[in-house]
Amino acid sequence: MTAAGEGAPGRPTDTEAAAGRTSARPPSMADVAQLAGVSHQTVSRVVNDHPSVLPATRERVLAAIARLGYRRNDAARALVTRRSGVLGVLTPGGTAYGPTSTFLALEDAAREAGYVLVVGTLRLPHEDSTAAALNRFLGLGVEGIAVIAPTEQVLRVVGEIDAPVPVVMLSSATRLPDRRLVGGVAVAQREGAAAATRHLLAGGASEVLHVAGPQDWFDAQERVRGWREACQAAGVSVPAPVETGWSARDGYQVGLRLVREGLPPAVFAANDQLALGLMHAWREHGVRVPDDVLLVGFDDEPGAAHYAPPLTTVRQDFAGLGAAAMRYLAEALEGRPTRRRALAAELVVRSSSVRG
Amino acid sequence: MTAAGEGAPGRPTDTEAAAGRTSARPPSMADVAQLAGVSHQTVSRVVNDHPSVLPATRERVLAAIARLGYRRNDAARALVTRRSGVLGVLTPGGTAYGPTSTFLALEDAAREAGYVLVVGTLRLPHEDSTAAALNRFLGLGVEGIAVIAPTEQVLRVVGEIDAPVPVVMLSSATRLPDRRLVGGVAVAQREGAAAATRHLLAGGASEVLHVAGPQDWFDAQERVRGWREACQAAGVSVPAPVETGWSARDGYQVGLRLVREGLPPAVFAANDQLALGLMHAWREHGVRVPDDVLLVGFDDEPGAAHYAPPLTTVRQDFAGLGAAAMRYLAEALEGRPTRRRALAAELVVRSSSVRG
DNA sequence: GGAGGCCATGTTATCGCTCACATGGCGCGG
DNA sequence: CCGCGCCATGTGAGCGATAACATGGCCTCC
């Protein structure tokens, strides 16, 4: 190649090998090849660990790479291989413990598998932000998409966009659209909710009230279902669930209302923050947990063991969820048959549900 | 079941039965151009909103785009423009409220500015995972990097890698390496800590103990500093800070020890989780907050208002932090002079620090 | 009314990489 | 001792976009 012909813009005058760093243009494979005295293809082989490269050659190339500070241009690579090594993640835009831990677990599993994650958070109105994020992902060439904690709206949009890549839902979407590549991994929310409810009933409660999360979240729906089934199985009456948000503030308000309108013997809260808010409201009015009312939460967030009193709750295997989602995507990408997976939820008994 | 025969990885056999979609090759600009009867360049102009395209032509192109389901290939675009539209974010791998909210704020600001975020979480050992993440980012062609809640280790690695793109630290790194493009935005941690300490002293405490976070975190260091300065300014003695982790469990253990070894009149905890753990330990031993000991936390995480008792704490402007970091990067990318920014921290007074 | 000049559009050359194939050595079996 | 085949390496052709320049048409201004 013309080492220093004319008419070449951005020709790195005499690329400062030292710390100078002209910042003209990052070194390319061709630069490395020239310095090492081999062809660009050989450099490519070294970089990609191709077996048939003589050790001596490899050494020379590696030295040149180190000297130049060469780094492979993944955009160029992606252009020809059609593999970006990037996965998109759609996550609800909040600091809630569940989605956050799930995301972290997913990131872990993805890195393990050699992928990086681009993230899009969902804001209201869901529909628009979801579509926008999805389109950005696709333009970027993501190889797969994971959706954390989906809601009805997200599911609808994903269906509409009809992404040409595998999509995995990390949660309990019970009514998956019948699109080819949309599947899901889920924690057994229903079973967890049922276990919590049974635990309360076994503790002597004649009835269990459910303070439910937003019903457009599949997770919230499933918890309601598990609770209801457990109540029915035990032959106790099923009071209308109280639908609210996910926050401690929501729980606090419900708590106040219950104080006014009459307390049930036991409450199953759809998550720990709700339980925290309930306890706060009750404490203010002299209602004691567990003496006056039994309480169970859901999630086992980091503080739950230190609430007043320590909260009985349902622990979800978020790490397992992330790993399972990654496996799911990996299999879909390889064209292997993928099937739904469910992970166990575990009841963690603390003081809030045990009298004595 | 190997979908394709041997030797042909990714060959699109018609595994894709269901929704039609041969998945042969996504449509390119050339395809659109042909269908619309124009040149690929005109398609490019339409896609990029170039002004000089006749409305009629634009219509035709848009129709072709819609018909084909065309989507621009960002890898190809990035290859020639050297602009990926991607920013890398290094974040600690935990569910802590601070880093999580900061990340969300950053994502918000980034999207606003037309960027997407790729994320790398830091795991132990920091050094290796940091370097690995940084290299992946650079290979991907990120245009800038944001580091959330940096520690000494992260700072060191970032300095070593000498990233050829702007790097911004979202926190209180007081000793920035003197590299050209490494800068930071920070919440005024020190002032917040000082305000918390003064508040406790004003509330009648003769002395304030500080339960400090891990001292390799710059945030933790700054909070110690603010606390110490406030103590000195008030002329009260400065007890040795108790260094521990960030979790409620850590706080719980410190709380037990304080019960055994003697309680101070007031405690300033380095974050809300620590405060939560302290209160738990104390509650178990009949120590009342605020009657027996005054307490202030840091972060104002979502549950803080509902702890027992509601926690006085220092609220940080995470949204502002994310936005400021984004502005910082944007300015660096445009070559404009960038300067450090600091955001205010605000004391939120609740029951845990007010007797009566 | 001819010379600019600004549209709207087309043509060609890369960007940095991988893929498919070509090419020379060299070992080895017949 | 020839030819086959397998290394190790090189050559050339794109991948799908943007950039830079080229090209006619039409309008304007002196």
Side-chain angles (χ1 to χ4, degrees):
Chain A
M1 76 185 304
T2 50
E6 86 281 65
R11 182 72 67 212
T13 49
D14 192 311
T15 314
E16 333 308 327
R21 186 169 265 52
T22 25
S23 89
R25 172 179 61 92
S28 72
M29 264 191 184
D31 299 327
V32 174
Q34 188 173 21
L35 180 59
V38 297
S39 75
H40 61 109
Q41 184 58 261
T42 298
V43 176
S44 173
R45 289 195 180 99
V46 170
V47 169
N48 293 301
D49 283 320
H50 188 97
S52 48
V53 175
L54 247 31
T57 311
R58 180 184 309 274
E59 283 315 308
R60 225 155 9 106
V61 170
L62 288 176
I65 286 177
R67 193 141 128 51
L68 258 36
Y70 167 76
R71 208 151 2 220
R72 175 173 61 197
N73 181 329
D74 283 350
R77 176 197 178 80
L79 181 57
V80 44
T81 61
R82 294 174 188 297
R83 297 210 40 205
S84 61
V86 175
L87 260 27
V89 179
L90 244 35
T91 175
T95 59
Y97 176 65
T100 304
S101 343
T102 305
F103 176 76
L104 290 170
L106 195 57
E107 204 273 340
D108 233 33
R111 172 186 15 205
E112 204 73 29
Y115 286 95
V116 297
L117 261 34
V118 304
V119 57
T121 63
L122 273 16
R123 306 277 162 141
L124 295 172
H126 267 11
E127 316 266 332
D128 292 352
S129 71
T130 307
L134 239 28
N135 278 321
R136 269 181 309 144
F137 285 176
L138 263 12
L140 251 171
V142 298
E143 296 179 41
I145 294 173
V147 181
I148 295 179
T151 60
E152 307 267 12
Q153 296 91 330
V154 173
L155 197 56
R156 187 177 330 129
V157 175
V158 170
E160 276 168 13
I161 297 247
D162 190 21
V165 299
V167 176
V168 59
M169 305 274 175
L170 283 84
S171 193
S172 34
T174 52
R175 287 163 288 159
L176 292 170
D178 57 359
R179 307 216 140 280
R180 172 173 46 105
L181 287 171
V182 176
V185 294
V187 168
Q189 314 263 355
R190 198 187 311 188
E191 287 73 9
T197 307
R198 282 195 303 270
H199 168 68
L200 288 169
L201 292 171
S206 58
E207 184 181 285
V208 176
L209 177 69
H210 181 38
V211 177
Q215 291 299 298
D216 56 338
W217 286 59
F218 294 114
D219 286 345
Q221 292 175 7
E222 283 295 283
R223 291 173 204 178
V224 169
R225 200 160 296 149
W227 157 78
R228 176 173 290 129
E229 288 171 1
C231 287
Q232 288 167 343
V236 301
S237 63
V238 183
V242 182
E243 180 178 347
T244 180
W246 285 122
S247 75
R249 174 174 204 80
D250 296 320
Y252 179 76
Q253 281 158 355
V254 172
L256 292 181
R257 218 179 73 208
L258 291 178
V259 168
R260 276 200 315 273
E261 302 178 359
L263 283 166
V267 171
F268 167 45
N271 79 355
D272 289 351
Q273 284 289 309
L274 286 171
L276 182 63
L278 287 168
M279 293 193 292
H280 179 204
W282 292 340
R283 188 184 315 118
E284 286 185 347
H285 292 77
V287 175
R288 293 160 308 164
V289 176
D291 309 77
D292 301 324
V293 52
L294 301 176
L295 180 62
V296 174
F298 209 105
D299 274 357
D300 195 24
E301 54 179 41
H306 302 277
Y307 290 165
L311 185 66
T312 293
T313 187
V314 179
R315 179 181 300 158
Q316 304 192 56
D317 180 10
F318 292 113
L321 188 62
M326 194 56 227
R327 275 201 305 278
Y328 188 104
L329 279 182
E331 291 179 3
L333 288 171
E334 291 168 17
R336 278 188 280 156
T338 65
R339 51 189 196 289
R340 284 197 72 181
R341 295 206 174 73
L343 290 104
E346 173 196 4
L347 185 70
V348 180
V349 179
R350 300 203 182 94
S351 329
S352 71
S353 63
V354 180
R355 259 190 282 264
Chain B
M1 169 223 178
T2 43
E6 28 72 284
R11 180 72 64 221
T13 59
D14 29 66
T15 355
E16 336 300 341
R21 185 170 271 40
T22 27
S23 88
R25 174 179 60 91
S28 72
M29 264 190 182
D31 299 327
V32 174
Q34 188 173 18
L35 181 59
V38 297
S39 76
H40 60 112
Q41 184 58 260
T42 298
V43 177
S44 174
R45 290 196 179 98
V46 170
V47 169
N48 293 299
D49 284 320
H50 187 96
S52 45
V53 175
L54 247 32
T57 311
R58 181 184 308 274
E59 282 314 309
R60 232 160 357 116
V61 171
L62 288 177
I65 286 177
R67 196 144 128 48
L68 258 36
Y70 168 77
R71 208 153 0 223
R72 175 173 60 197
N73 181 329
D74 282 352
R77 176 197 178 80
L79 181 56
V80 47
T81 60
R82 294 173 188 298
R83 296 210 41 206
S84 61
V86 175
L87 261 25
V89 179
L90 243 38
T91 173
T95 58
Y97 176 67
T100 304
S101 344
T102 306
F103 176 76
L104 290 170
L106 195 58
E107 204 274 340
D108 233 34
R111 169 182 18 199
E112 204 72 29
Y115 286 95
V116 297
L117 260 33
V118 304
V119 58
T121 62
L122 271 17
R123 305 278 161 143
L124 298 171
H126 267 10
E127 316 267 333
D128 292 352
S129 72
T130 307
L134 239 27
N135 279 320
R136 270 181 308 145
F137 285 177
L138 263 11
L140 251 172
V142 299
E143 295 179 42
I145 294 174
V147 182
I148 295 179
T151 60
E152 308 267 13
Q153 296 91 330
V154 172
L155 196 56
R156 188 177 329 129
V157 175
V158 170
E160 276 167 15
I161 298 246
D162 191 20
V165 299
V167 175
V168 59
M169 305 277 175
L170 282 83
S171 194
S172 33
T174 52
R175 287 164 290 159
L176 291 171
D178 57 359
R179 307 215 141 279
R180 171 172 46 104
L181 288 172
V182 177
V185 294
V187 168
Q189 313 263 354
R190 196 188 311 190
E191 287 72 9
T197 307
R198 281 195 303 269
H199 167 69
L200 289 169
L201 292 170
S206 58
E207 184 181 284
V208 176
L209 177 67
H210 181 39
V211 177
Q215 290 300 298
D216 56 338
W217 286 59
F218 294 115
D219 286 344
Q221 292 175 8
E222 283 295 283
R223 291 172 204 178
V224 169
R225 200 159 295 148
W227 157 79
R228 176 173 289 127
E229 289 171 1
C231 287
Q232 289 167 342
V236 300
S237 63
V238 183
V242 181
E243 181 179 346
T244 182
W246 286 121
S247 74
R249 176 174 202 78
D250 296 320
Y252 179 75
Q253 282 160 354
V254 171
L256 291 181
R257 218 180 76 209
L258 291 178
V259 168
R260 276 199 315 274
E261 301 178 359
L263 283 167
V267 171
F268 166 46
N271 79 354
D272 289 350
Q273 284 289 308
L274 285 171
L276 181 64
L278 288 168
M279 292 194 290
H280 179 204
W282 293 340
R283 190 183 313 119
E284 286 185 347
H285 292 78
V287 174
R288 292 160 306 166
V289 175
D291 309 76
D292 300 325
V293 53
L294 302 175
L295 180 63
V296 173
F298 208 105
D299 274 357
D300 195 24
E301 54 181 38
H306 302 277
Y307 290 165
L311 185 66
T312 293
T313 187
V314 179
R315 179 181 300 159
Q316 304 191 56
D317 180 9
F318 292 114
L321 188 61
M326 193 57 227
R327 274 201 305 276
Y328 188 104
L329 280 182
E331 291 178 4
L333 287 171
E334 291 168 17
R336 276 188 282 154
T338 66
R339 52 189 197 289
R340 283 199 72 182
R341 296 209 171 72
L343 290 102
E346 173 196 3
L347 184 70
V348 180
V349 179
R350 301 201 181 94
S351 328
S352 71
S353 64
V354 180
R355 257 190 284 265

